Amino acid sequence: MTSSKALFESFDGVAALAQAVRSRDVSAVEVTRSCLTRIAELDDRLGCFLRVDEAGALAAAQAVDDQVRAGADDDLLLAGVPVGIKDMLCTKDLETTAASKILKGFVPPYDATAVAKLRAAGAIVLGKLNMDEFAMGSSNENSAYFPCKNPWDVTRVPGGSSGGSAAAVAASLCPLSLGTDTGGSIRQPAALCGVTGMKPTYGRVSRYGVIAFASSLDQVGPLAHSALDLAHALQVIGGHDAHDATSLSLAQPDYVAACQVPIVDKGRRLRIGLPKEYFAQGLDPRIEECVRRAIATLEQEGAEIVDVSLPLTKHAVAIYYLIATAEASSNLSRYDGVRYGLRVTPREGELAAGQSALIEMYKRTRAAGFGPEVKRRIMLGTYVLRSGYYDAYYRRAGQVRTLVARDFEAAFAKCDVLMTPTSPVLPFRLGERMSDPMTMYLADIYTISCNLAGLPGLSMPCGFITDEGSSRPLPVGVQILGKALRDDKVLQVAAAYQRVTDWHKQRPKLLLGDGKEAA
Amino acid sequence: MTATSDFEPVIGLEVHVQLATLSKAFCGARAEYGGAPNTHIDPYTLGLPGALPVLNHRAVEYAIRMGLACQCDIAQRSELSRKHYFYPDLPKGYQISQFDQPICQNGRVEFILNGERRRVGLQRIHIEEDAGKNLHIPGGRTSLIDYNRAGVPLIEVVSLPEIRSAEEAAEYLRAIRQLVRFLGISDGNMEEGSLRCDANVSIRPRGSTSLGQRTELKNINSFKYVHKAIEHEILRQIDIVQSGGRIIMETRGWDAARGTSRSQRKKEYAHDYRYLPDPDLPPLHIDPMWLESIAAALPPTPMQRRDHYLERLGLTPYDASVLTSERELCDFFDAVLIAAGLPASATSLSEAERGRAKLCANWLSSELLGSLNKESRLITDSPVTAESLGELIRFISDGTISGKQGKEVFARMYESGETPTDLIEKLGLRQISDPEVITAACRKVVDDPAIRKQVEKFKQNPKLLGFFVGKALAETQGKAKPELVSEIMLRLLAEK
Amino acid sequence: MSRHSPGLLVSADEIRVTAEMARLLLAESDIPKLSDELSAVLSYAASLQEVEVTGVPPMTHAVPDFCPLRGDVIEPHDSIESALRNAPSSEASFFAVPAVFGQGAAADDTMDGEG
């Protein structure tokens, strides 16, 4: 049997892994077992997985091996590739909670479309990944169960909300994971954990079966070690889904082929736009330096660098918090303790005169089931939708959102992609920012506009910084934003960068339970 | 002191109509009424996390049919919105409805009130989804919920406050029921809740054009209750005003058992539904080609069919009303017309044809409906087909059988379901109208030496004609057409 | 337009009413904090009032303005057992909740139901 260490050390991309399984160099069961072993060894200290489905994963792996043996593996593009799924996506017969107590014990009778497509391609679902409750947060500290930690420095946050998805890939607990991104929830943790993560164009990946946070902003995307791996994953999970009315009914480009296209293609130089508002006050100068070096690398590869402006950037956070909370307050109305999840019923004699047991049940269930950040956002969202305030807040935010999208159109008239920092700050220490929601919200400044406009965005590592008072290097992420539907272009640029750099190949040194370092 | 008649009621109705689609408005669960509890469900119906809505095209088509039939403006672009409130039968904590931009605006509903044509303007018709059902166990501490109905498509038809009496409100509601049944978009069954009605009622001094404070009456789900509840509310309001009180804006529930209404107090903000354009459903665009094809295939409305019967066929308003009361009856009548040799679509008819149409109406309403009513059977359950009835009428109007014989044949048809052709043969009822055959029979009578005396007497006493005709009819076993026998007999006797 | 101009503090009473609408039971001690936090976000969002938006349609969806329609077909679904499996309380084949018309309910605001 191949050891867990050997397997991830020899890991050379998900396509190569699937090929090895299909040519029976290694069995899906062996690959799965090696991941399960590594999770068992390391995840107690990291908190990436909310639950691991060992039996289900091994059974699925066995089924893939059987298919391979029967020669029925033509469609198994991800044969035997272990994946972790953010707890925001429904998994049939596997508890799904959105890291919230209100959904504790909820076992979906169906798979999210993205999960079903992964399974159909032979990927093995290992379990459900930690996250901020209902994807509300940027640090994973809002998980109702336990926080997830950054594999590069376990005293620091992995980012959020898809913190578990990023940390699990960074720690090589699985080579591929799914996250969701509403305002940067894939890209920011990818940056903080030193992995490559992508939010596709809105509508590329079906939202069916994805627990809704803010429906007009939510998008599912993959996290992995390289742009090429993302391309393979997106090829599988993307595409039209008749069960999602916001799913794009367009054929997908060949993302894998796009990864091979050079920066200067048939004599045409790729144009990279630098929005000046993204290199402004508040950006850690050490991060700026890494990002500018990455841009210079691509310039050396032949890219043309142009300055652009996105003047409404300063309003993005305000728009986001009005729209996202309004939609969230609506989406979270269904958690009422009636059909599934938690129910808190007032006890006999607890009701005051004139109080309804039913209404009290609603109020207590929701008070006990939602964490403080979720309640805060439900309150804000409910408030801005009230009839007297709707126009001033929700509607106006929607109007400025239109202008933000127009800003991007104008910028993309001058360039093919934009490059920016992903996060203005390095991974911070756990607990450091919990007390101040507004500061936390403002840290999403670089990732939010992309969701408002529905554009594709990717974050990949572009360097490491050792913070003061720390001995461990911390990853820095660079973000690539593309025009709507040009997910292929975003992947092309990232892959070109990763061909000439090796930041994405760096792995954190992890301490095993016995104090020894894991590779 | 003012009199009751010094006040004018101002009434607007909100009518919910369940659309007769196979699947629900936003998912593939079964939309059919009834079923074992919680069997017409799926992830969307239960509001499971992650389930998403996709709009049923037939629900849209049916809403458009209603809009076209009511001469509404059909919006090229309309918006689906979420309406928020918490209730156990509402699985998502919101109902998908339409708020800002409904699919149909303006328009009108026409009907007959006390023989007069009335027209009530519409504000809008919009699409929404139904809620499930709460079952209350009297005195129990729990309520039980069945989500079979949750997500069934509805249209809400909102009238302008142009209704002026409880009677008119009930008639308007009947007109909507009749209309949706004729359009084939709903069974309009009030007992099963396919048609539900809320009323906004206010009063004002007669002659005033301002609107008084209104109350909303909920839960008036039969024609009888609509009439009673509104009547009751008008009198209640007049009573309050006459005794110097003020009407307060409130929702009142009709208690059918007690024949009275009760205030359903709500907190002030309970009406704030926090409408939000549904982010899961982009705005709905109606392709003009699709709209055209729906319009082209639109079944005629009951009022159009009524006008057709009055103007083209010359039927009486009463007959026309009876025949257009149900679509099945109306369709049956049209089939009778065709079988009787009168195309239903005919634009102009001769006097004789109009007579035959009248005959069809009479036979259908008095004979067939009379027989069916006696047994409480519906027209759809008629043992006599429209084709048979039409055929019978053709035999009567071309003189093959007499009206009296027709009744006999009809009775047999109703009993056995046999066709008139078969029965006339079987009963030997076919009248002889061949002049040669009749002349032969008549000649035989007048040439009979045994009655020479009577022939002689005839010259003085023409009343004896009946005697000869009777003889001649007997010769033909009663099958000769009597008028023809008289005519020929008269000629033969004159020749003598 | 609005009852208060944006940026004004969200009062404790407004917090209470909003919490009722959202069906969230708040401790009295949570109210001042929420009042501050909501006010902070809303005063930050007041900057949106500076943007000229006359004639600009609000963006409510990030996809083209087109609503796909499904055919009117019945799709097979899961059994009643799987539906009730997650129910906190059920009786026979029904989901069960504290009485809708229980103590206090009829006089309060649970009567929003359309049916």
Side-chain angles (χ1 to χ4, degrees):
Chain A
M1 182 176 160
T2 321
S3 78
S4 71
K5 188 172 168 183
L7 253 183
F8 78 82
E9 275 184 349
S10 62
F11 177 74
D12 189 30
V14 295
L17 179 57
Q19 195 44 53
V21 169
R22 290 174 67 181
S23 53
R24 298 172 68 182
D25 294 343
V26 63
S27 74
V29 169
E30 283 173 289
V31 174
T32 302
R33 226 173 233 136
S34 79
C35 283
L36 291 170
T37 306
R38 195 167 165 84
I39 292 167
E41 282 169 356
L42 295 169
D43 203 37
D44 269 359
R45 304 184 58 239
L46 293 174
C48 298
F49 280 87
L50 287 174
R51 65 202 71 83
V52 175
D53 180 21
E54 190 169 327
L58 288 171
Q62 187 60 57
V64 167
D65 285 335
D66 291 348
Q67 264 181 283
V68 169
R69 223 166 287 124
D73 59 338
D74 282 359
D75 297 329
L76 302 188
L77 299 174
L78 296 175
V81 175
V83 294
I85 307 291
K86 187 181 186 181
D87 206 27
M88 201 71 160
L89 288 91
C90 283
T91 41
K92 188 170 162 60
D93 300 331
L94 179 59
E95 186 186 6
T96 299
T97 67
S100 178
K101 282 192 180 139
I102 207 155
L103 274 173
K104 190 160 176 51
F106 171 65
V107 180
Y110 73 120
D111 268 333
T113 300
V115 173
K117 286 185 167 189
L118 280 178
R119 291 196 210 267
I124 309 301
V125 174
L126 295 175
K128 303 307 285 288
L129 293 163
N130 207 349
M131 55 183 280
D132 287 299
E133 183 180 1
F134 283 106
M136 296 179 185
S138 316
S139 70
N140 220 303
E141 292 164 293
N142 295 334
S143 168
Y145 297 98
F146 44 83
C148 175
K149 290 156 193 159
N150 194 316
W152 293 92
D153 178 349
V154 292
T155 67
R156 293 177 190 256
V157 302
S161 67
S162 309
S165 304
V169 171
S172 300
L173 304 185
C174 52
L176 178 66
S177 66
L178 290 190
T180 63
D181 190 316
T182 305
S185 278
I186 288 174
R187 292 158 288 154
Q188 185 258 17
L192 269 52
C193 289
V195 300
T196 309
M198 181 174 185
K199 178 204 105 66
T201 301
Y202 185 88
R204 272 277 185 234
V205 183
S206 169
R207 291 186 300 110
Y208 188 72
V210 181
I211 296 178
F213 160 16
S215 314
S216 81
L217 304 163
D218 295 343
Q219 187 61 192
V220 174
L223 296 94
H225 287 301
S226 68
L228 185 60
D229 281 1
L230 297 184
H232 283 288
L234 187 55
Q235 209 80 56
V236 168
I237 63 171
H240 181 243
D241 179 8
H243 286 103
D244 175 0
T246 61
S247 166
L248 295 165
S249 56
L250 298 169
Q252 293 202 92
D254 186 335
Y255 303 120
V256 177
C259 287
Q260 317 304 329
V261 178
I263 290 295
V264 183
D265 183 30
K266 300 183 190 100
R268 190 183 170 278
R269 295 171 69 197
L270 186 107
R271 291 168 307 164
I272 297 173
L274 305 189
K276 64 174 187 218
E277 293 79 5
Y278 283 60
F279 293 88
Q281 204 190 348
L283 173 61
D284 185 326
R286 299 168 297 176
I287 292 177
E288 176 167 2
E289 202 192 317
C290 290
V291 171
R292 289 207 184 271
R293 262 207 312 271
I295 293 160
T297 303
L298 285 167
E299 195 172 13
Q300 276 169 7
E301 290 297 301
E304 186 186 331
I305 308 299
V306 294
D307 288 324
V308 297
S309 174
L310 296 167
L312 289 166
T313 301
K314 62 171 186 248
H315 295 297
V317 173
I319 301 168
Y320 175 80
Y321 277 91
L322 297 181
I323 291 175
T325 57
E327 291 185 15
S329 74
S330 172
N331 285 327
L332 270 55
S333 302
R334 67 185 61 195
Y335 306 106
D336 58 5
V338 175
R339 294 160 305 282
Y340 44 78
L342 180 75
R343 175 186 295 190
V344 180
T345 315
R347 273 193 303 275
E348 195 92 9
E350 264 189 319
L351 290 178
Q355 269 186 336
S356 140
L358 176 69
I359 295 179
E360 285 307 302
M361 180 203 89
Y362 281 141
K363 287 162 67 172
R364 288 168 196 229
T365 298
R366 290 165 63 81
F370 294 132
E373 181 62 25
V374 175
K375 281 187 212 167
R376 186 152 44 227
R377 297 201 198 189
I378 290 176
M379 286 291 290
L380 181 59
T382 304
Y383 184 86
V384 302
L385 286 180
R386 285 174 57 182
S387 62
Y389 308 127
Y390 180 90
D391 285 341
Y393 295 123
Y394 178 80
R395 188 166 197 282
R396 177 163 285 260
Q399 288 176 302
V400 186
R401 184 181 180 187
T402 301
L403 298 176
V404 167
R406 289 181 188 169
D407 263 8
F408 274 108
E409 276 170 42
F412 280 121
K414 295 185 201 155
C415 59
D416 300 299
V417 296
L418 300 172
M419 275 181 83
T420 80
T422 308
S423 164
V425 294
L426 290 172
F428 45 88
R429 290 197 162 78
L430 276 100
E432 197 175 42
R433 299 198 173 201
M434 280 301 277
S435 57
D436 184 4
M438 205 58 226
T439 313
M440 196 89 115
Y441 296 171
L442 286 169
D444 297 334
I445 181 92
Y446 299 145
T447 49
I448 274 176
S449 300
C450 161
N451 298 76
L452 294 177
L455 309 177
L458 175 150
S459 178
M460 61 181 170
C462 66
F464 288 82
I465 293 168
T466 305
D467 206 3
E468 285 163 41
S470 169
S471 59
R472 292 178 166 266
L474 298 170
V476 175
V478 60
Q479 178 175 239
I480 302 166
L481 300 176
K483 292 181 206 181
L485 306 178
R486 294 316 302 267
D487 309 72
D488 53 337
K489 211 51 141 177
V490 169
L491 287 165
Q492 175 199 335
V493 177
Y497 178 75
Q498 291 182 339
R499 269 197 299 276
V500 294
T501 56
D502 63 0
W503 301 115
H504 64 292
K505 291 179 181 160
Q506 308 295 314
R507 300 287 182 270
K509 290 195 175 0
L510 288 161
L511 285 178
L512 291 174
D514 57 10
K516 280 187 268 179
E517 286 215 333
Chain B
M1 184 77 185
T2 46
T4 300
S5 60
D6 293 339
F7 292 97
E8 178 184 53
V10 177
I11 303 158
L13 292 193
E14 290 168 14
V15 181
H16 287 90
V17 183
Q18 258 182 16
L19 300 177
T21 53
L22 289 175
S23 61
K24 292 187 176 178
F26 296 102
C27 66
R30 195 176 287 278
E32 197 185 329
Y33 174 80
N38 292 306
T39 51
H40 299 176
I41 49 155
D42 65 357
Y44 177 81
T45 304
L46 293 180
L48 294 193
L52 292 173
V54 183
L55 182 53
N56 183 336
H57 88 100
R58 190 160 289 161
V60 179
E61 182 184 330
Y62 284 1
I64 293 174
R65 270 197 213 170
M66 185 65 171
L68 290 171
C70 296
Q71 292 162 278
C72 296
D73 303 322
I74 310 296
Q76 277 217 2
R77 179 186 190 276
S78 73
E79 231 173 47
L80 293 145
S81 293
R82 296 179 178 180
K83 177 182 179 177
H84 299 89
Y85 61 91
F86 286 92
Y87 208 59
D89 63 13
L90 190 70
K92 301 182 295 297
Y94 60 82
Q95 173 196 33
I96 302 181
S97 180
Q98 296 195 291
F99 181 57
D100 256 349
Q101 299 172 44
I103 187 156
C104 309
Q105 293 191 67
N106 307 320
R108 61 191 185 218
V109 171
E110 292 184 314
F111 53 97
I112 304 295
L113 178 67
N114 299 327
E116 303 276 312
R117 202 181 187 95
R118 275 286 296 157
R119 185 177 273 190
V120 168
L122 296 183
Q123 189 199 82
R124 59 192 278 155
I125 299 173
H126 68 249
I127 300 173
E128 59 185 32
E129 56 181 345
D130 210 340
K133 276 184 185 163
N134 298 314
L135 281 89
H136 314 294
I137 301 159
R141 290 186 177 194
T142 50
S143 291
L144 303 179
I145 310 153
D146 174 9
Y147 290 105
N148 281 357
R149 196 180 68 174
V152 168
L154 299 173
I155 47 171
E156 181 175 341
V157 183
V158 183
S159 86
L160 293 169
E162 292 183 350
I163 298 169
R164 292 291 173 266
S165 70
E167 190 190 5
E168 188 177 7
E171 217 43 63
Y172 166 86
L173 187 62
R174 274 199 191 90
I176 289 196
R177 177 181 183 274
Q178 195 184 11
L179 184 54
V180 298
R181 290 172 61 90
F182 271 69
L183 295 174
I185 63 173
S186 174
D187 62 19
N189 189 331
M190 286 193 100
E191 290 71 47
E192 293 179 358
S194 306
L195 197 67
R196 279 168 269 158
C197 178
D198 300 333
N200 291 306
V201 180
S202 65
I203 54 164
R204 65 185 174 196
R206 208 162 279 284
S208 162
T209 51
S210 64
L211 289 175
Q213 180 61 268
R214 66 186 170 85
T215 57
E216 190 182 11
L217 288 175
K218 286 218 169 229
N219 200 22
I220 40 179
N221 295 329
S222 84
F223 295 110
K224 199 170 84 186
Y225 295 156
V226 166
H227 193 284
K228 268 195 175 172
I230 293 175
E231 194 66 54
H232 178 274
E233 179 59 18
I234 292 167
L235 293 174
R236 192 189 69 87
Q237 291 190 11
I238 291 175
D239 207 41
I240 290 172
V241 171
Q242 282 180 335
S243 54
R246 260 181 58 239
I247 311 294
I248 52 163
M249 173 142 165
E250 62 182 343
T251 299
R252 301 185 66 86
W254 177 247
D255 182 339
R258 296 184 194 168
T260 182
S261 64
R262 270 195 312 185
S263 179
Q264 297 175 340
R265 273 175 296 133
K266 285 190 181 188
K267 287 181 181 151
E268 168 245 335
Y269 52 80
H271 284 289
D272 189 344
Y273 293 118
R274 288 166 284 129
Y275 281 100
L276 171 75
D278 195 324
D280 290 330
L281 295 162
L284 173 64
H285 285 261
I286 305 300
D287 180 347
M289 299 277 283
W290 189 34
L291 184 58
E292 239 173 71
S293 73
I294 296 171
L298 192 70
T301 66
M303 285 301 274
Q304 286 169 330
R305 292 174 83 162
R306 184 177 187 277
D307 289 347
H308 175 81
Y309 293 161
L310 289 176
E311 289 158 22
R312 309 284 180 238
L313 305 185
L315 300 188
T316 64
Y318 175 79
D319 280 345
S321 292
V322 169
L323 294 170
T324 54
S325 60
E326 291 290 347
R327 177 171 177 177
E328 291 76 12
L329 180 59
C330 206
D331 288 347
F332 192 97
F333 178 61
D334 285 351
V336 172
L337 291 175
I338 292 168
L342 295 164
S345 57
T347 47
S348 70
L349 296 179
S350 67
E351 257 329 293
E353 285 172 321
R354 284 179 159 228
R356 203 183 319 159
K358 174 72 186 160
L359 206 55
C360 290
N362 289 346
W363 273 86
L364 177 52
S365 57
S366 53
E367 296 304 320
L368 182 55
L369 289 185
S371 304
L372 290 169
N373 285 345
K374 259 183 242 158
E375 301 181 279
S376 303
R377 287 168 88 171
L378 296 171
I379 188 73
T380 44
D381 191 25
S382 168
V384 175
T385 65
E387 290 65 32
S388 289
L389 187 59
E391 207 181 319
L392 178 67
I393 289 158
R394 220 173 46 212
F395 283 132
I396 294 166
S397 53
D398 71 6
T400 306
I401 55 171
S402 69
K404 201 172 145 224
Q405 288 169 327
K407 293 203 178 177
E408 190 188 336
V409 173
F410 177 82
R412 303 282 292 253
M413 284 162 65
Y414 191 85
E415 249 169 50
S416 65
E418 284 172 279
T419 65
T421 311
D422 290 349
L423 280 166
I424 288 167
E425 273 324 308
K426 202 162 149 188
L427 299 174
L429 291 179
R430 188 176 288 277
Q431 282 189 338
I432 297 167
S433 48
D434 184 339
E436 277 186 34
V437 177
I438 294 173
T439 306
C442 290
R443 200 171 292 286
K444 204 173 166 191
V445 172
V446 297
D447 289 351
D448 184 352
I451 55 164
R452 180 151 312 180
K453 226 194 291 173
Q454 280 84 348
V455 173
E456 292 301 321
K457 275 192 186 166
F458 173 76
K459 289 178 178 146
Q460 282 79 47
N461 184 4
K463 282 184 185 162
L464 277 173
L465 177 64
F467 167 78
F468 298 106
V469 169
K471 286 269 181 201
L473 281 172
E475 281 294 323
T476 61
Q477 286 86 46
K479 287 188 230 168
K481 197 177 176 185
E483 303 87 68
L484 216 50
V485 175
S486 302
E487 193 188 314
I488 291 169
M489 186 59 81
L490 201 59
R491 187 160 44 79
L492 288 185
L493 287 168
E495 284 169 6
K496 280 278 165 183
Chain C
M1 194 176 71
S2 60
R3 279 173 263 176
H4 301 281
S5 54
L8 260 184
L9 211 73
V10 183
S11 71
D13 274 348
E14 294 278 317
I15 294 289
R16 284 190 194 95
V17 170
T18 306
E20 278 298 321
M21 294 174 93
R23 293 286 190 264
L24 281 173
L25 182 70
L26 296 182
E28 264 308 299
S29 58
D30 290 339
I31 291 173
K33 188 158 174 268
L34 274 166
S35 177
D36 284 351
E37 286 167 346
L38 259 62
S39 298
V41 178
L42 292 177
S43 51
Y44 174 75
S47 69
L48 295 183
Q49 304 302 322
E50 298 157 15
V51 183
E52 176 54 52
V53 293
T54 313
V56 178
M59 179 173 175
T60 50
H61 300 82
V63 279
D65 212 33
F66 170 77
C67 186
L69 301 177
R70 44 178 287 276
D72 184 22
V73 286
I74 293 166
E75 289 178 48
H77 58 79
D78 268 13
S79 62
I80 173 77
E81 287 75 26
S82 102
L84 290 171
R85 174 172 70 174
N86 285 301
S89 170
S90 62
E91 280 178 35
S93 300
F94 294 96
F95 293 84
V97 292
V100 169
F101 289 113
Q103 188 195 5
D108 203 63
D109 50 355
T110 57
M111 296 300 300
D112 282 320
E114 291 290 325

